[in-house]
Amino acid sequence: MKRVLIVDDEESILTLLAFNLEKAGYDVQTATDGLEGYELALKNKYAFIILDLMLPSMDGMEVCKKLRQEKIETPIMILTAKDDELEKIIGLELGADDYMTKPFSPREVLARMKAIMRRVNSRGKAEDEKENSKEELVEVTIGEIKIFPELYEVIVRDNPIEVTPKEFELLLYMMKRVNRILSREQLLDAIWNFDYAGETRIVDVHISHLREKIELDTKNPAYIRTVRGFGYKFEVPK
């Protein structure tokens, strides 16, 4: 039985989600503040974490950030009472896999959970197959940018740079598809593992942040080029 952790300080939300998830066959654990949820996520193995943003002790953003820093890769869905685009983007950038705005339907939460877990499991199997066949990439280099997937390291002009988990995935994905035009929808599906209809601004924000970190001139980028009307393309600098 798959175990799910729900972290929310609203008793009605905990009761509603726990009831529906248990009915669907999940083993549910709950926490009512961020610190308690963070400690549970460190100690136990979960198939999925549902995390409210507004929490006592430690807010959801900080919980998500710290879990990803501790290499906890469990899929995380953020719950927010605010339909705030900036909050969604920051949450996804910190490593969350999805978000839901309150009020929500428990049925939709379940559907999204299942979709994300299917994708994560499929990706995990693909990575295992690569490792078993010794096809894992040790280094990807284009121009003056190097990525070491196994070390989670990015080197730009001989200097290591700090990137968020999603920035790392996005940069690696694009570098492995050099000179190919990639639509925003394609990047959303590949990196965030879910179809965020109408949320392509998430991609634009991450591209902007990457340009600030890898380009010498963000107004005239040499690596990540915008293909107007289509999306983006990672190029070998001329």
Side-chain angles (χ1 to χ4, degrees):
M1 184 180 292
K2 292 181 178 179
R3 183 185 292 179
V4 175
L5 174 64
I6 307 171
V7 188
D8 199 305
D9 62 338
E10 291 185 51
E11 193 64 38
S12 59
I13 297 292
L14 284 179
T15 302
L16 178 66
L17 286 175
F19 173 79
N20 283 275
L21 291 179
E22 287 171 352
K23 189 176 179 181
Y26 293 97
D27 177 17
V28 178
Q29 280 194 297
T30 63
T32 55
D33 70 68
L35 182 59
E36 180 189 5
Y38 172 68
E39 291 175 345
L40 282 171
L42 285 182
K43 293 176 184 176
N44 304 299
K45 188 174 180 62
Y46 297 99
F48 204 87
I49 297 173
I50 299 175
L51 179 65
D52 188 30
L53 280 186
M54 303 299 290
L55 293 167
S57 301
M58 184 187 296
D59 65 47
M61 292 288 194
E62 190 67 14
V63 173
C64 184
K65 179 182 177 181
K66 285 183 174 293
L67 288 177
R68 293 309 188 223
Q69 288 175 342
E70 293 292 335
K71 307 300 182 186
I72 304 297
E73 299 299 330
T74 306
I76 296 174
M77 177 188 289
I78 284 177
L79 300 180
T80 173
K82 301 176 182 178
D83 191 11
D84 189 323
E85 183 182 33
L86 181 60
E87 281 194 348
K88 296 172 187 175
I89 291 170
I90 292 173
L92 294 169
E93 187 174 85
L94 289 175
D97 297 270
D98 196 5
Y99 65 85
M100 290 285 291
T101 302
K102 299 177 184 178
F104 52 78
S105 160
R107 183 175 296 179
E108 186 178 359
V109 172
L110 276 166
R112 289 200 183 190
M113 277 179 55
K114 290 176 182 178
I116 292 168
M117 287 191 288
R118 276 198 303 269
R119 290 173 183 261
V120 169
N121 290 336
S122 297
R123 185 171 56 190
K125 289 178 182 177
E127 288 174 354
D128 289 342
E129 289 172 3
K130 280 187 176 181
E131 186 174 338
N132 292 335
S133 61
K134 298 182 179 180
E135 292 179 358
E136 183 68 29
L137 289 170
V138 176
E139 176 186 328
V140 180
T141 301
I142 296 177
E144 295 183 293
I145 301 176
K146 294 181 180 179
I147 287 189
F148 298 89
E150 294 180 350
L151 301 176
Y152 192 80
E153 189 174 52
V154 179
I155 306 294
V156 179
R157 290 178 285 278
D158 297 324
N159 295 308
I161 65 168
E162 291 188 8
V163 293
T164 66
K166 291 303 180 187
E167 287 171 357
F168 183 87
E169 289 183 47
L170 180 59
L171 182 60
L172 179 60
Y173 185 86
M174 296 184 75
M175 287 179 68
K176 288 167 68 175
R177 292 158 182 80
V178 65
N179 293 325
R180 284 174 53 183
I181 297 174
L182 304 168
S183 70
R184 291 173 176 82
E185 291 77 13
Q186 182 179 349
L187 293 171
L188 274 173
D189 187 62
I191 306 305
W192 283 270
N193 300 302
F194 199 84
D195 180 16
Y196 289 83
E199 297 292 345
T200 54
R201 177 158 166 71
I202 294 169
V203 174
D204 297 334
V205 170
H206 281 72
I207 291 290
S208 176
H209 289 172
L210 277 176
R211 281 174 170 162
E212 290 174 0
K213 295 177 180 183
I214 70 173
E215 302 282 5
L216 289 173
D217 182 357
T218 57
K219 293 183 179 179
N220 297 288
Y223 290 100
I224 303 178
R225 306 295 296 272
T226 300
V227 182
R228 200 168 299 279
F230 292 94
Y232 297 99
K233 180 168 66 168
F234 197 96
E235 295 184 339
V236 179
K238 299 175 182 177

